Amino acid sequence: DENGAPPLEDEENISDEDDLVELPGGIDQLESIMETMQQAKDNSIAVFKDHGKAVFSCAFHPELENVVVSGGEDDAAYIWDPTNTDSKQKLDDWRDSVNCVTWSNDGQHLAACDMAGNIKVFKYPGLTVEWSFEVGDINWLKWHPVANVLFAGTADSEMWMWKIPSGDSKLFQGQGEKTECGEILADGKRAVCGYSDGSLRQFDLKSGNTVNTFPKGLAHIDVVNCVSGHLNNTLFLSGSMDGTAKLWNSTSGKVVGTLLCGAREEENSSSSVECAIFPRDKSTTYCVTGTLDGIVTVWDTPTQISRHACKVGDGVSKVDVHKDGNLVFASTLDGAVKCLDLRTGNAVMELSGHSATILDFSLSSSGSHLVTSSDDGTCRIYNVRENS
């Protein structure tokens, strides 16, 4: 004012508010504008909306390009056609969210489970239930790479193995910690499980015996999020919330090397390794990690040196390598899938359109299409070739 006194706080606020543009439609109009902006960036070719709630898992049929399965928070799984999303079949009669869906290697069986511990295997085609079982809370579900044998890891520190459709079973016990992840090694005779205390165990599937134990501290100092086996049948890889991935020799049980993805190995690292994989190629000399702080790194396995590292988004939820061996796809917490060229580390495409975290994705058998499932309640189909 005239006396040189500073203006009152209220006066300052009034002048600030004068700069704001008020939308006549209020918050609804703002949401509409944001939705329109999101749609403008949507390069998907089809959207499946029937779940209406978070979609936790999705998978293309291993041979048929026109068959996708998805499972979600709506206590349902759907089989649907990505070329015509109105063509669908609902698999209901679940007691909780359907959190895992997975096809057998030959595509003749579909396994799904819910968060209440119910597992069902459906014959395909026809989708009749040919086997079902109930266990504790299931963290992961996967098929044997060749045989019709199903595996599941539970919060009760167990890994179950069932022959399908007979249901003959075997139980592999941990030390009481949650079985967070599992991998069947390339020979089909051994499996590795990662646990919530940072330990790993390697099992012989025929005898049921523990072959190698990697205790907390030696293995990791926090939750093991992922394990992946090399097709050479010797190496496997584990990734942890402690910010490291480790390479192991499955024969000797020795650690081969440590891939430091954050500043240091520490509990609850901001560079938690959410996913780590080897390409499906016996001669490959690299592996790929994706971290909670959004970095995808391509590592040279013989030297354990980073070849390329690329920031892809807020955080990485999954990585997968294209069948041609040169492209890696990474889904993010901010709702996009980035594709990197493994030879250069450069981003070559972005698949967008989701408004929330991508929880899962799957490439079609030819590698031409990709399906995503998201927290936003939708699945989306992308033409990978058109966007490259």
Side-chain angles (χ1 to χ4, degrees):
D1 62 18
E2 291 171 0
N3 301 326
L8 294 171
E9 206 170 305
D10 285 351
E11 288 176 13
E12 274 190 346
N13 288 345
I14 290 165
S15 63
D16 285 350
E17 284 171 10
D18 287 344
D19 296 336
L20 297 176
V21 177
E22 190 167 320
L23 295 170
I27 191 72
D28 291 341
Q29 187 181 351
L30 180 62
E31 285 178 350
S32 172
I33 290 169
M34 289 173 73
E35 194 175 324
T36 305
M37 288 170 67
Q38 190 68 36
Q39 286 167 354
K41 292 189 290 185
D42 186 355
N43 55 4
S44 63
I45 57 170
V47 185
F48 184 75
K49 300 178 178 178
D50 285 52
H51 286 284
K53 292 184 176 179
V55 191
F56 295 119
S57 186
C58 63
F60 263 103
H61 188 278
E63 293 172 2
L64 306 172
E65 299 269 322
N66 63 341
V67 179
V68 167
V69 63
S70 54
E73 196 181 357
D74 57 334
D75 302 358
Y78 285 92
I79 308 282
W80 48 280
D81 182 345
T83 63
N84 174 17
T85 54
D86 290 331
S87 173
K88 65 202 174 218
Q89 184 167 347
K90 187 177 184 180
L91 305 174
D92 46 18
D93 195 25
W94 299 94
R95 296 218 310 267
D96 206 335
S97 301
V98 177
N99 59 331
C100 299
V101 290
T102 178
W103 297 98
S104 61
N105 185 56
D106 62 7
Q108 293 181 18
H109 308 273
L110 168 65
C113 67
D114 68 15
M115 287 182 174
N118 298 292
I119 304 175
K120 297 178 193 178
V121 174
F122 302 86
K123 187 84 181 117
Y124 189 83
L127 295 171
T128 51
V129 177
E130 61 178 339
W131 176 84
S132 62
F133 198 76
E134 197 172 325
V135 292
D137 293 350
I138 300 167
N139 289 331
W140 56 271
L141 190 67
K142 66 170 54 177
W143 288 94
H144 189 278
V146 182
N148 286 323
V149 175
L150 185 65
F151 297 84
T154 72
D156 305 327
S157 201
E158 297 164 342
M159 180 180 77
W160 285 84
M161 177 176 87
W162 300 278
K163 286 182 181 172
I164 303 298
S166 72
D168 293 348
S169 67
K170 201 170 277 185
L171 190 59
F172 302 84
Q173 291 279 8
Q175 295 287 93
E177 301 292 337
K178 286 182 187 175
T179 314
E180 296 284 351
C181 51
E183 174 78 316
I184 315 309
L185 298 182
D187 61 7
K189 298 175 182 176
R190 297 169 299 158
V192 176
C193 290
Y195 298 89
S196 56
D197 66 344
S199 64
L200 294 156
R201 290 170 91 81
Q202 186 181 323
F203 298 103
D204 179 283
L205 297 179
K206 191 172 182 183
S207 68
N209 295 334
T210 302
V211 181
N212 285 311
T213 303
F214 311 90
K216 176 182 180 173
L218 169 68
H220 292 281
I221 59 171
D222 208 338
V223 177
V224 182
N225 290 324
C226 48
V227 282
S228 176
H230 194 298
L231 284 187
N232 71 5
N233 201 37
T234 303
L235 278 181
F236 73 89
L237 177 66
S238 59
S240 167
M241 209 182 273
D242 65 13
T244 70
K246 295 195 177 180
L247 292 159
W248 304 90
N249 183 311
S250 63
T251 309
S252 68
K254 299 267 177 32
V255 66
V256 176
T258 297
L259 312 176
L260 191 60
C261 297
R264 66 192 70 82
E265 184 175 18
E266 59 187 343
E267 287 186 19
N268 202 20
S269 169
S270 60
S271 301
S272 167
V273 181
E274 300 296 294
C275 35
I277 58 162
F278 287 109
R280 289 175 285 276
D281 172 7
K282 272 187 180 173
S283 60
T284 190
T285 56
Y286 66 86
C287 61
V288 182
T289 57
T291 59
L292 188 60
D293 52 0
I295 308 289
V296 171
T297 308
V298 181
W299 301 87
D300 185 72
T301 47
T303 61
Q304 291 105 55
I305 291 171
S306 162
R307 286 186 187 178
H308 309 292
C310 182
K311 173 86 172 173
V312 295
D314 287 348
V316 181
S317 54
K318 180 175 179 174
V319 291
D320 198 8
V321 177
H322 194 273
K323 61 186 294 183
D324 76 0
N326 293 325
L327 299 174
V328 62
F329 291 87
S331 56
T332 66
L333 303 188
D334 39 5
V337 176
K338 297 279 179 66
C339 177
L340 310 177
D341 187 317
L342 286 165
R343 295 159 295 189
T344 62
N346 295 334
V348 291
M349 75 178 97
E350 179 171 346
L351 308 175
S352 53
H354 284 292
S355 59
T357 296
I358 293 176
L359 301 171
D360 196 11
F361 71 87
S362 165
L363 284 154
S364 65
S365 57
S366 70
S368 63
H369 290 83
L370 183 144
V371 60
T372 51
S373 62
S374 169
D375 234 343
D376 67 11
T378 69
C379 295
R380 279 175 151 74
I381 301 287
Y382 298 90
N383 187 323
V384 172
R385 299 224 163 102
E386 269 183 15
N387 283 290
S388 60

